[in-house]
Amino acid sequence: MDTRQLRTLLAIVEHGGFSRAAGVVNLTISAVSQQVQALEQEVGAPLFDRSTRPPRLTVAGQQLVEAARELVRTAENAIDAISGRKVIGTFSLGSVRTSALSLLPRAIVRLNAAYPELRIQLRVGLSETLLQDVVSGRLDAAMVAEYGNFPDSLRWRPFLDEPLFVVAPPGTPATEANELLVRHPFIRFRANVPLAHLIDLELARMNLPLAEIAQIDTISAITACVANGLGVSILPQVAITDCAADLVTAPFGHPQLHRKIGLVERKTAPRAALISMLHGLLVEECGPHGVGSQP
């Protein structure tokens, strides 16, 4: 199976049609159609339903696209390793929706500066989906929080270990965390993610009479609400650092709680060296809260 044909197939899917793909792969529309027909003859099934505009993938087409992504990436990695040429091809990354997400684009920009011919794709999703995609090879690596049970085929390496704080609006008299929580309306982080579970467990242990005013499922929205005076909440360090307002803070937990974020990859990842470089860049972006690799 010709990898050029597979790249053309992926371009059609990614850019939404034969004509757009033709411009991307520098072929005529007729040549793109011929490559698709050659693939269809090889697999013995139509890849697109041509009765729709634009044509939609058939079940066989969807299956081949999944295989094509892995085959093309593996071929590119092998050529890089054997020939010693510049790092090229596609580097596919995933990330959960997290307050630490701002760190990843900064690291990606630095990685792209080192390897300008490398095409980096970033997709944001849920932890479970990202882990499945890393296992299957659809993603090279993903940024996820510390997880209960990673699949045996994966390795998770933390790059961020940051403390949690009770945060209050600017100008709030500084005091201990317990006092801030009971004296002011409370904004709860309500989401099915490890950070929210960690916070809820500690609040249950503390057993404080909270005057809950809101339940919000994103850290950025909570930060905005606190900065504008709605109430107090609990945030990780990176969210406080990224906030333009001068929030009042107090350490949360006894001892103070921390949360970890890391990169997950296959133990036999073909892009292991590139992932290690990205990990190092992320550690640098984390400043004093960056942590090195674990065995």
Side-chain angles (χ1 to χ4, degrees):
M1 190 170 289
D2 191 334
T3 56
R4 290 173 297 181
Q5 296 172 349
L6 296 178
R7 289 190 181 94
T8 298
L9 173 64
L10 294 177
I12 294 169
V13 174
E14 292 170 4
H15 296 279
F18 285 43
S19 59
R20 292 181 181 178
V24 173
V25 297
N26 296 316
L27 293 173
T28 64
I29 298 176
S30 176
V32 167
S33 180
Q34 289 173 6
Q35 288 196 354
V36 172
Q37 290 173 8
L39 282 173
E40 290 177 326
Q41 289 176 0
E42 188 164 358
V43 300
L47 301 178
F48 289 93
D49 178 0
R50 291 172 173 79
S51 66
T52 65
R53 290 291 179 269
R56 290 184 300 183
L57 284 171
T58 62
V59 173
Q62 293 171 357
Q63 292 174 333
L64 186 58
V65 165
E66 291 296 318
R69 289 194 176 105
E70 180 64 14
L71 288 168
V72 169
R73 185 158 54 241
T74 300
E76 290 171 343
N77 293 345
I79 294 171
D80 287 346
I82 294 169
S83 66
R85 71 182 185 183
K86 293 180 180 179
V87 176
I88 63 171
T90 301
F91 188 38
S92 298
L93 299 171
S95 175
V96 292
R97 292 176 177 84
T98 169
S99 55
L101 184 56
S102 61
L103 299 169
L104 190 52
R106 297 202 292 265
I108 288 175
V109 168
R110 294 175 62 187
L111 188 66
N112 236 161
Y115 301 112
E117 296 182 49
L118 182 69
R119 182 186 180 197
I120 301 177
Q121 293 183 327
L122 174 62
R123 175 159 54 84
V124 177
L126 300 175
S127 293
E128 292 79 6
T129 302
L130 296 176
L131 292 177
Q132 292 171 6
D133 287 346
V134 174
V135 169
S136 68
R138 288 188 290 268
L139 291 174
D140 291 302
M143 186 175 87
V144 297
E146 192 168 16
Y147 200 77
N149 293 298
F150 287 103
D152 292 338
S153 61
L154 300 182
R155 175 175 65 157
W156 179 79
R157 290 189 289 170
F159 60 81
L160 173 67
D161 184 355
E162 61 176 341
L164 302 185
F165 293 88
V166 174
V167 293
T172 303
T175 185
E176 294 183 353
N178 288 23
E179 293 297 317
L180 290 174
L181 288 169
V182 299
R183 289 182 180 178
H184 303 278
F186 179 65
I187 303 166
R188 186 180 295 274
F189 181 31
R190 179 67 73 193
N192 187 25
V193 297
L195 176 59
H197 300 326
L198 179 66
I199 292 171
D200 283 346
L201 283 173
E202 181 64 13
L203 288 173
R205 188 196 65 79
M206 295 167 71
N207 195 28
L208 298 174
L210 301 177
E212 195 166 303
I213 191 173
Q215 296 184 2
I216 301 177
D217 63 357
T218 65
I219 290 294
S220 59
I222 291 174
T223 305
C225 287
V226 174
N228 284 282
L230 183 62
V232 303
S233 192
I234 299 157
L235 296 176
Q237 177 66 56
V238 68
I240 300 169
T241 302
D242 289 346
C243 181
D246 188 16
L247 302 179
V248 175
T249 65
F252 175 65
H254 303 283
Q256 186 175 13
L257 266 61
H258 286 237
R259 69 97 174 247
K260 292 183 179 179
I261 300 287
L263 282 181
V264 64
E265 63 186 291
R266 283 171 290 169
K267 293 177 181 177
T268 56
R271 293 273 193 174
L274 206 54
I275 297 169
S276 291
M277 183 175 180
L278 176 63
H279 182 273
L281 293 173
L282 285 165
V283 171
E284 293 176 9
E285 291 293 335
C286 293
H289 302 297
V291 294
S293 302
Q294 289 184 343

